Structures are given as structure tokens and as C-alpha cells.
Amino acid sequence: MAWTKSRIVTLTKREGQSYGFYLRVEQGDEGHLVRSLEMGGPAELAGMKDGDRIIRVNGTFVDNMEHKQVADMVRKSGMTVTFHVIGEDAYKQAKADGVNPAEPHSQTSQNQPTMNGVSAPAPKAKLCYLQKSSRGFGFSLKSTKGKPSTFMTGVISGEVADQAGVKEGDRVVEINGEKLESATHDQIVRKVKETGTSVMLLLVDEDADKYFKNKSIRPAVANATVRHLPHKPRIADMVKRADGYGFILKEETNRAGHYIGEIDKGSPAERAGLKDSDRLVAVNGDEIHSCTHEEVVEKIRQQGNKCCLMVLDAETEQMYKLGGASPLLYYEEMRANLPSYPESEPESTPALTPAPEVHVPVTAVPAHIPAETVHKHKLCRLEKTPAGYGFHLNSIQGVHGQYIKEVVKGGAADRAGVEDEDIVVEVNGVHVEMSTHEEVVNLIRNSGDRLVLLVAGKTAHDHLKAKGVTITPQLLDEEPSADIPKPASAQEEETNEQHEDNESDKETEKTATPPRSRTSSSSSSSSSDSEDQRL
């Protein structure tokens, strides 16, 4: 019997947050078990189930490893982790049949990977930049006699290679931009030794290797991720003032390229993070390596009052050159999370060179803003990305009402105007203030790639409820678009008002009120014969 029920799941999370499940080992059960899934968390949205067994973490086989080792591997994965998962029944049956899960007859490579509930991007090669410490690079190389491939082994936890993103079993494709897939073991060892104190590796893990072979694609820098690289290009979004952006673009006689100089204090350029001697590599995502100075200046002028520049400092430029990689790889990976431009009034005079400092008086904000202007709800239209909608749905056990938490900066929810602590009033035109947490999660999950949320901040929600106003899209200045279902009939608000009263009283009753807890889709009882790790 083969592992026909295995699947690949990729999860992402925010700094300081969890993947939304516990990893456990339990007496009487084999394997590393998934338990206590958080409803609406990354793991639950990706389709992980209570009792699933995790057999690989980031391509490394873990079924025979100690519980603590596996938990540490997950924690060290950072903000993204990839699991090979087996359903509980299939795992037990395969064990009973004596099937070895480490053997390559698993059919996971035929399944579509998922990331937080949606199809994940295709696997990529990866660029890893290593700077030798006094203890070396922290890895060894192995190969099989008669076969050209060379693999990473002996990756020491916490050492240079491990911190650079190198994993056990990764296959070597290039070293410092030189293709070495057909090189012998000795040739690759010699090449590593010749690199000195710094080396750029192009590697593929097991999943990526299978993907490229199935597609008859040769791994290359052009289809690699740069997320492991320690030095990042900087993306500067600027809105022009009357005196320009506040920098000059210059050429230097002793080196090719276009460089930033003479940055005005307090200018848009300084606020956007530009530094003297930064090398400009792209204007609004267009590479400018082959452009003349005049052509680059004209490109910037053609953008009008808003401009997006990508620049490199000397250290980052040297690193990318070592691997023969274009910094635009970083732009392509990050552009989905680029901040939107702030609002700005049109300026009439385009200028890049500094002008005399302009002192703009600060105008006080009028104190007579009507309450209706401040206390407004929002109709937010979300387009799902490969990482999902970019928020968590939370509730308080035993209390009606759902609220937003952990809005991912630059994600679909953030771009649509959704904010942490917003209270959800409608989902796709359905009133949900009296719905259960599971009902609202199902509405969101079944919404496809588009989601329309009617939400209100806590202050706005309390204000409108206190005035006896039913929150609907019709209260907004704009009419709902044709693709939004009509709101469901308004329901009685008494229970919701009581919910809000309970919320406002919580601050004064902290010592008596138990802390909020997320609803779990499943749970397992505590036992002295089990170990669990919150992930």
C-alpha cells in the first residue's frame, strides 16, 4: 500500500503569532500528531485535520525523529513552513501494512500544494548566501558513486549554513553563479574551498527537484527565491513636493551605474530611506541598467508626482553580483506587499534637483467634526492572494460577534481597509452579528476568490448601536456594487448591545474576567503521557 492520502501544506504566519495548532506525541499512538486546531487559523484554513500526522518538515523526513527536534525545526522555519501530512486513518493503515514513509513511493508530488487554504505557488530553487565563521560554513557534501548529483549533509543547527536557509538533502545546482549539476564530488568540494570567506549557493530541495524534473525544467537563478538572502534591496515609494523629491541622480567616473546623492534633510527621498551612494537599479519595476543618465531622469519625470525606486547599497550589490542574480527577483517577490502611495495634491513643477527649503505652516484640525463623520463603518472588498485574505477571525467564547485580528501588512485585508479589532457586521451581504464563529468561517471559506465585508471599528460600532442605528451598506455614501448580495434582514440588536456592554466592562473587571480564548475546532485532553508544542 502506498501513501495515497499524503499532501503538501504550506503555512504562513506573522511575527509573534502561531500556525494555529499543537504538535503532540501521545502514548499508544505513533507519529507527530496535529491537535487543537484554531478555527480560522493558518493550519485549519489550509485543511489540516485533528489527528493528521506530519511526516516531513521543509522536505526533511521526521517520522522517526524525537518530538522536540521536530518542534524546533518548525520554530526555526521562520514565517513559512512546509509540511508533508498524512491523514490519521491512512497513516495507521500504512503502519499496519509495514509501509516505509521515507521511501519515494509517496504520491505527494502529484498533489497540488496548499498555502493557508489556497493553491500554493510552484516550488522554487533558492539562493543562499554564506559568510564563513571561525568554525567554517557548517555543512558537508555527499554524493552517490556513479551519479553526478551532490547534496548537502551535516547541516549544523544554528551555524552559518542553517541560518542561511540550507537544509539537509538540498541538491547543489550552482556555486557563485557557475553551473555544477554535472560536476564531480571532488570538483564541487574544490570549488567551495576556492570561494574564500563568502559563497552564494543555488540549491533545490526535494520538492522543488521533483517539480523541475516533472516539468523538464532546469533550475536556474531566474526561478529562485531570494527570501533567504541576508541583504535586501530597498524599495522607496515617494510623493513629490513642490521642491521635488529632494535628491540628485549622478554618474561616477570610476564605476558604471546611476547613484543617489545630495539628499535633502526631511525630503521625500530621506523619508523613503534613500542613502547617499545608493545604486539605482529600477524605476517602477523597470530595470535601468542599460539606460543613459538622461533616459533614467526622464523615466522618473514621466511618473508624475509619484515614483517607486529600487536601490542597492554596496554590500547588497556585491552579494547579488556574486550569485549572478538580478535584484528584480526581490522586487517580483515583494511587489504584492508594496505600500500604496499616500494621497497628494498635484504639483506643477517636476524637479529632481534640490530647491530652496520650503516652510509649510501646520494647520490645526477643526474640532467641530460631526460625530457621523468619525463614527463610520466600512464596506471592504477583498481579492484573495496566494497567501489568503491576510487576517484572522476571532470571537469570545460564549459571546455573539466576530472581530478581526492579525491583519497582515500589505495583504488583501490590509489593502481593502480592514483593521485589527474591526467588528464584522456582514459577510457577502449576510448579517452575521448573531451567527456562530463556525458559521462565519464557513461563509468566508465558501466565498471563492472575492470577499465583501461590512465592518465597523469598536468605537463606531458602539456609537451607532447606542443611537439605535442598524449598520447596513446603505448608510454609506457609496452604493453597493452590483456583485454584492443585498443585505439580509436586520435582526434584533438586544443581544448584540449586551455583547458590547460586556466588552466595555471588561477593562474594569480584568481581575475577575478570564482571558479571551480562540475557539478550537477540536481538542485533546491533557495527559502526563503526552507531549505537546504550540505552533
Side-chain angles (χ1 to χ4, degrees), residues 192-255:
V192 172
K193 289 180 178 178
E194 290 171 354
T195 59
T197 58
S198 300
V199 62
M200 180 77 85
L201 303 174
L202 179 66
L203 307 171
V204 287
D205 62 19
E206 183 182 11
D207 292 332
D209 212 7
K210 288 179 180 177
Y211 173 81
F212 287 126
K213 287 176 180 176
N214 287 338
K215 298 288 185 180
S216 299
I217 300 173
R218 176 167 291 181
V221 169
N223 48 39
T225 178
V226 295
R227 66 187 180 92
H228 298 290
L229 298 182
H231 309 306
K232 314 290 185 187
R234 278 173 285 121
I235 298 172
D237 284 288
M238 298 180 290
V239 177
K240 190 188 297 181
R241 297 189 317 197
D243 57 343
Y245 292 117
F247 74 97
I248 66 169
L249 189 66
K250 60 183 183 179
E251 293 180 293
E252 298 186 359
T253 55
N254 59 342
R255 55 178 179 167

Side-chain angles (χ1 to χ4, degrees), residues 295-314:
E295 288 171 338
V296 178
V297 172
E298 185 60 27
K299 274 181 176 288
I300 296 173
R301 285 192 174 130
Q302 287 174 356
Q303 304 307 316
N305 299 302
K306 302 171 184 177
C307 189
C308 176
L309 306 181
M310 187 165 74
V311 298
L312 305 175
D313 59 29

Side-chain angles (χ1 to χ4, degrees), residues 76 129-139 154-166:
K76 291 176 180 178
Y129 180 66
L130 286 67
Q131 292 181 293
K132 186 184 291 185
S133 72
S134 58
R135 296 180 296 276
F137 288 122
F139 72 87
V155 178
I156 303 172
S157 178
E159 292 293 338
V160 172
D162 180 46
Q163 293 178 355
V166 177

Side-chain angles (χ1 to χ4, degrees), residues 377-390:
H377 50 301
K378 300 172 288 188
L379 194 64
C380 303
R381 297 173 176 86
L382 287 69
E383 297 272 350
K384 186 183 284 185
T385 71
Y389 286 119

Side-chain angles (χ1 to χ4, degrees), residues 140-199:
S140 299
L141 295 167
K142 70 174 182 180
S143 58
T144 303
K145 191 173 182 179
K147 294 184 179 180
S149 298
T150 301
F151 299 89
M152 291 291 177
T153 189
V155 178
I156 303 172
S157 178
E159 292 293 338
V160 172
D162 180 46
Q163 293 178 355
V166 177
K167 302 296 180 186
E168 194 84 13
D170 285 347
R171 184 169 69 83
V172 179
V173 180
E174 293 183 9
I175 295 178
N176 288 352
E178 181 181 342
K179 295 187 183 300
L180 295 168
E181 286 186 282
S182 59
T184 66
H185 179 87
D186 290 341
Q187 288 172 329
I188 291 180
V189 170
R190 185 164 57 252
K191 183 67 178 177
V192 172
K193 289 180 178 178
E194 290 171 354
T195 59
T197 58
S198 300
V199 62

